Amino acid sequence: MGARPEVRPGGDLSRLAPAKVNLSLQILGRRPDGYHELESLIVFAAVGDFVTVKPGTELSLTLAGRFGEGLRAEPDNLVLRAARALDEAAQQSCPGGLPRGAAIRLHKELPVAAGLGGGSADAAATLVLLSQLWKLELGPDKLQDIALALGADVPVCLHGRSALVRGLGERIEEAPTLPPLWLVLVNPGLALPTPQVFAARQGPFSRPERWPQRIETAERLAKLLRGRSNDLEPAAATLAPVIPRMLEALASCDGCLLARMSGSGATGFGLFAQAGKAERAAGQIAAAYPQWWVVSSALAEQQRL
Ligand code: C5P
């Protein structure tokens, strides 16, 4: 379940909540309850939000970071919902006692409603950190159930490393072994609510794919991904016409093997085989579009090696 939380001076526990990137996102069908069956190759970048927890008598949340302000208007942050859901599950397994407290700090460095699963990663990090702070031993299956009830992307964020995700997001399988790769993430500064993008999707559904166990090079991965699209990209582009322009800007950079949208958008990613080219591309886009959010990053698990 990813790296162990880091213990900081004073007993605070903290953890990176990394950006989730859908290298592919195919929609296989629509269920009667309106949710969609998916197949998605998901990786995590080595950039993200930062969640810190420390003991507290009641639950509280402090927001900081570049995108912290944007969350202040939200009546019920997913981090607090995760904390309450965890406490309720703990109460059920061991009834009695007062609701548990914690002072949570969310340093928000990922854009909000951006297709990077930032809120889901924050919720997953909160579940891991509070399990440790509250000394709970609910077990991985129970934690995954709590995660799924919070949102379709939360289980894979709890899993914390590359995965092939199916179902609504709850079937998490081993991803093919991936080559070293670098991503340039670009967000044009507009929030795109996921339900709207799913609702705007049209056309036939995709078919499930067979994936190899190992993909040797970034070039080979890009070739494979060309046949496995992000099925939400056309719908998102009709809602936000800046998306094709942003993807063209990425695609035209030297060394960009593939430019595509992540999740329900609007963030786009460029796939690179070399760190230097990714960094140069990020610099070039940031200079041409100073109002856009741009970062270059290795995969989280590559950085841990
Ligand atoms: O689960 P989550 O709250 O992240 O989903 C947000 C919205 O995305 C849902 O309300 C639904 O409209 C859409 N969705 C879907 N099928 C999925 C995941 C999400 O239709 N598998």
Side-chain angles (χ1 to χ4, degrees), residues 25 27 29-31 33-38 78 81 120 147-154 166-170 193-199 232 264:
L25 176 53
I27 314 289
R30 188 171 182 275
R31 302 195 331 179
D33 65 3
Y35 269 75
H36 294 78
E37 293 281 336
L38 314 173
L78 200 54
R81 282 174 46 209
S120 304
L148 184 62
L150 292 166
D153 276 341
V154 187
R166 298 198 162 92
L168 306 185
E170 79 288 7
T194 302
Q196 273 182 34
V197 181
F198 271 99
L232 292 178
S264 55

Side-chain angles (χ1 to χ4, degrees), residues 17-187:
K20 166 224 72 165
V21 179
N22 301 84
L23 294 185
S24 67
L25 176 53
Q26 298 193 273
I27 314 289
L28 308 183
R30 188 171 182 275
R31 302 195 331 179
D33 65 3
Y35 269 75
H36 294 78
E37 293 281 336
L38 314 173
E39 179 178 279
S40 180
L41 177 59
I42 289 180
V43 296
F44 291 92
V47 293
D49 297 334
F50 214 69
V51 184
T52 304
V53 301
K54 56 183 175 186
T57 45
E58 48 192 51
L59 275 181
S60 64
L61 176 64
T62 312
L63 297 167
R66 177 167 170 184
F67 295 102
E69 195 56 43
L71 285 181
R72 241 172 270 281
E74 264 190 25
D76 201 11
N77 190 286
L78 200 54
V79 162
L80 286 174
R81 282 174 46 209
R84 282 197 296 270
L86 187 69
D87 181 44
E88 273 162 32
Q91 293 276 356
Q92 274 165 17
S93 74
C94 184
L98 293 171
R100 291 166 178 81
I104 309 173
R105 185 169 187 274
L106 171 58
H107 196 93
K108 192 89 201 142
E109 285 299 315
L110 297 177
V112 175
L116 293 174
S120 304
D122 300 340
T126 303
L127 293 178
V128 174
L129 292 169
L130 290 183
S131 292
Q132 177 154 344
L133 185 74
W134 293 339
K135 300 187 169 47
L136 305 178
E137 286 184 9
L138 292 175
D141 290 350
K142 183 67 199 169
L143 272 188
Q144 283 292 358
D145 289 348
I146 299 170
L148 184 62
L150 292 166
D153 276 341
V154 187
V156 73
C157 291
L158 197 55
H159 179 73
R161 52 179 202 280
S162 305
L164 265 175
V165 174
R166 298 198 162 92
L168 306 185
E170 79 288 7
R171 279 173 45 208
I172 297 167
E173 297 168 16
E174 205 60 46
T177 305
L178 296 173
L181 31 117
W182 283 265
L183 300 170
V184 175
L185 304 177
V186 182
N187 184 281

